[in-house]
Amino acid sequence: MFGYYRDVTATDECERYLEQIHKPYWIVWDFEKKRLIKRLNMVSNTKYIIPQVLIVDCDQSNWKINEEGEGCVDFLSKELLNSFLDDEDMTVDQITSEYCRFKARHMAYRVIPN
């Protein structure tokens, strides 16, 4: 698993509650482990709460998590993860390459005198 988000947008308390139950999603490998996909935590468009993500490793010690319990692995950002999800043909090697380019653009360099 690479990330967990809810994206709750409703302002009404009742609607916010429903979104918190039905909108959470995980960012995980697809079945073939070839690309990242967004997988809803619960089956959508049903009257029932039916989980559809099996968590086998709940260690999130290397994740960046906000106060609401949302976040992702410490070497990625939500923006970068979403850019991967938008491209259905992106391979593991391309994800790694894109991540390296992203990090290089956002790194701060400091000159250390002799």
Side-chain angles (χ1 to χ4, degrees):
M1 300 198 182
F2 286 83
Y4 172 76
Y5 296 100
R6 285 184 278 211
D7 296 344
V8 175
T9 57
T11 54
D12 176 69
E13 282 299 316
C14 183
E15 287 298 316
R16 285 185 67 77
Y17 174 73
L18 291 174
E19 283 186 5
Q20 287 175 350
I21 293 172
H22 292 283
K23 275 191 140 181
Y25 61 91
W26 294 90
I27 298 175
V28 298
W29 286 120
D30 68 351
F31 184 73
E32 297 171 339
K33 294 187 179 173
K34 291 187 176 179
R35 64 185 184 93
L36 294 177
I37 60 170
K38 184 188 291 187
R39 184 76 171 167
L40 287 174
N41 197 35
M42 302 292 173
V43 176
S44 60
N45 301 322
T46 63
K47 294 181 183 180
Y48 309 101
I49 300 175
I50 306 168
Q52 62 177 1
V53 176
L54 172 64
I55 300 171
V56 293
D57 180 7
C58 60
D59 178 23
Q60 296 176 341
S61 60
N62 68 337
W63 282 35
K64 295 178 291 188
I65 298 178
N66 65 18
E67 62 279 352
E68 296 177 12
E70 300 175 4
C72 62
V73 290
D74 62 359
F75 59 89
L76 293 174
S77 68
K78 183 177 182 182
E79 294 76 23
L80 192 57
L81 282 171
N82 280 333
S83 73
F84 296 155
L85 297 174
D86 292 340
D87 186 350
E88 294 185 5
D89 297 324
M90 189 168 277
T91 66
V92 175
D93 292 337
Q94 290 169 317
I95 289 171
T96 304
S97 173
E98 185 65 28
Y99 164 69
C100 291
R101 279 196 294 278
F102 177 82
K103 278 304 246 191
R105 284 194 311 263
H106 293 88
M107 280 183 141
Y109 293 96
R110 190 173 85 192
V111 176
I112 301 174
N114 290 340

